[in-house]
Amino acid sequence: MTRLLALLPGGLTEQLLFFPTLETLSKTVDQIDVVVVPQVKAVYQLLPGIHRVISFDFDHRKGLADWSNLFGIVREPEYDVALTPSQDGSLRFFLWLLGIPRRIGYDGGWGTFWLTETVAHAPQQSLQSKQEALLRCLGASLSLSPLRLRYTEADRQWQQRAAGDRPYGVLYEGSAPHQSPQAYPLENWRAVVDGLRDRYPQINLVLLQDDQNQSWVSDLRNQVQELTVLTPQSLGQATALMDHAQWVISTDHPPLYLGVGTQPAVVGLFGPTHPDLKIPHRDRCWGLRADSGNLADIPPIQIIEQLS
């Protein structure tokens, strides 16, 4: 097997969660090409070993001309194997049209018959188990690699300038608490900040800001003084910031997985989704979920004690 094509619809979180599979395959496959939605293409700068990243907007209804254009782009290389974690029948049909001899995916959904090999897909199966099952189709000796992200020296220099010399921990909430039921309540965040300051007065608390959470940053700063706010301009800068943090606390959004793919201790906050379905296994990485499935029911003290 020398050339592999992967069709990977989904956002940043879905791409980051699939990185361990791609990282593992890159050790034995000569060339890996991936097809992803345009807005996530930049994340592949964090994963060396991918030969080509092709943009295609899976999220909107595509006409024949769109599919024909993609067909022309990926038809030229002669791929030995293709895979997709998606259960979208149109993607499976597309792989069949390409004439790729081995087409691998999860069972279930429409168009399973367009695949040559399928892997059992149970809704409550852990992320690691799902990825290892895919790898077994491609080689029994393959062992799933941990999620590891890389960044440039320029990203590291930005981190040093932005964060300074003082040890720091990163906090991230991807939704405005007053706008989303999936946000961790502001009063809980304040209790987390107060508790961390009491236990770790030497550690600076950094709020990671992006286009999604400016109101959360503003609201929390209005209640708590002397919080540092940093706004990375690229995924590489955000990854460097995570890599040199003491710890990262985040709700279920892409920055959580940037933390998982680097060195800090990580506490992920989950609502209805069980952490095992998304959090890869590694040391000093915890997913917290209340028995109620309500994110707001995670006690702030439980978050603080995970870092003790």
Side-chain angles (χ1 to χ4, degrees):
M1 180 176 61
T2 58
R3 291 181 177 176
L4 180 145
L5 176 68
L7 301 187
L8 304 174
L12 279 177
T13 294
E14 288 74 19
Q15 305 304 315
L16 289 166
L17 291 178
F18 204 71
F19 272 17
T21 298
L22 297 174
E23 172 87 8
T24 305
L25 292 173
S26 69
K27 299 172 183 176
T28 59
V29 175
D30 294 330
Q31 176 179 323
I32 298 177
D33 295 348
V34 298
V35 183
V36 299
V37 295
Q39 55 268 36
V40 304
K41 187 174 182 179
V43 76
Y44 281 87
Q45 297 172 4
L46 307 177
L47 183 68
I50 303 302
H51 177 260
R52 186 167 59 153
V53 183
I54 302 160
S55 297
F56 185 73
D57 194 351
F58 296 104
D59 296 335
H60 295 87
R61 185 180 297 276
K62 313 304 292 183
L64 181 60
D66 300 304
W67 287 106
S68 297
N69 183 54
L70 179 61
F71 187 93
I73 293 172
V74 300
R75 184 68 181 90
E76 184 177 349
E78 295 184 0
Y79 295 105
D80 303 284
V81 62
L83 65 85
T84 181
S86 172
Q87 294 181 312
D88 186 331
S90 62
L91 301 189
R92 296 167 170 180
F93 177 64
F94 180 74
L95 292 178
W96 175 80
L97 282 178
L98 286 170
I100 299 172
R102 296 184 67 193
R103 303 178 298 279
I104 300 170
Y106 293 117
D107 62 10
W110 181 81
T112 304
F113 50 85
W114 299 117
L115 301 173
T116 60
E117 300 163 67
T118 60
V119 175
H121 180 274
Q124 297 307 311
Q125 188 178 12
S126 72
L127 172 72
Q128 183 169 338
S129 296
K130 290 178 183 178
Q131 296 191 355
E132 288 175 344
L134 275 181
L135 290 173
R136 282 195 292 272
C137 277
L138 296 161
S141 63
L142 295 177
S143 179
L144 187 67
S145 298
L147 175 59
R148 291 196 185 97
L149 304 176
R150 283 79 164 185
Y151 50 87
T152 67
E153 179 59 27
D155 295 327
R156 167 63 167 151
Q157 292 173 2
W158 175 87
Q159 178 272 331
Q160 290 175 316
R161 293 191 302 270
D165 297 329
R166 185 180 172 189
Y168 64 90
V170 175
L171 309 179
Y172 182 84
E173 169 62 75
S175 305
H178 61 280
Q179 295 176 347
S180 171
Q182 296 306 317
Y184 197 52
L186 197 65
E187 59 271 21
N188 290 25
W189 277 115
R190 177 168 182 170
V192 169
V193 169
D194 290 342
L196 291 173
R197 282 180 166 173
D198 287 342
R199 294 200 185 193
Y200 308 103
Q202 76 281 11
I203 295 181
N204 188 28
L205 299 182
V206 172
L207 306 185
L208 179 66
Q209 179 173 265
D210 59 20
D211 293 340
Q212 307 302 316
N213 72 345
Q214 293 176 355
S215 62
W216 171 74
V217 170
S218 176
D219 291 345
L220 190 55
R221 288 189 79 192
N222 286 338
Q223 293 194 17
V224 184
Q225 301 302 309
E226 299 179 1
L227 290 171
T228 299
V229 177
L230 294 180
T231 309
Q233 299 303 305
S234 68
L235 287 168
Q237 290 181 357
T239 303
L241 185 68
M242 301 296 192
D243 195 24
H244 294 276
Q246 300 296 305
W247 31 256
V248 172
I249 302 171
S250 174
T251 48
D252 184 15
H253 291 91
L256 172 62
Y257 303 98
L258 296 181
V260 173
T262 49
Q263 297 300 314
V266 174
V267 179
L269 310 180
F270 289 82
T273 302
H274 196 284
D276 285 349
L277 300 179
K278 302 186 78 172
I279 287 277
H281 296 300
R282 80 156 171 82
D283 293 338
R284 301 196 312 144
C285 182
W286 305 277
L288 300 184
R289 176 181 180 271
D291 291 339
S292 66
N294 185 354
L295 186 64
D297 291 338
I298 300 174
I301 189 62
Q302 186 179 5
I303 299 170
I304 297 164
E305 288 180 345
Q306 287 292 344
L307 300 172
S308 300

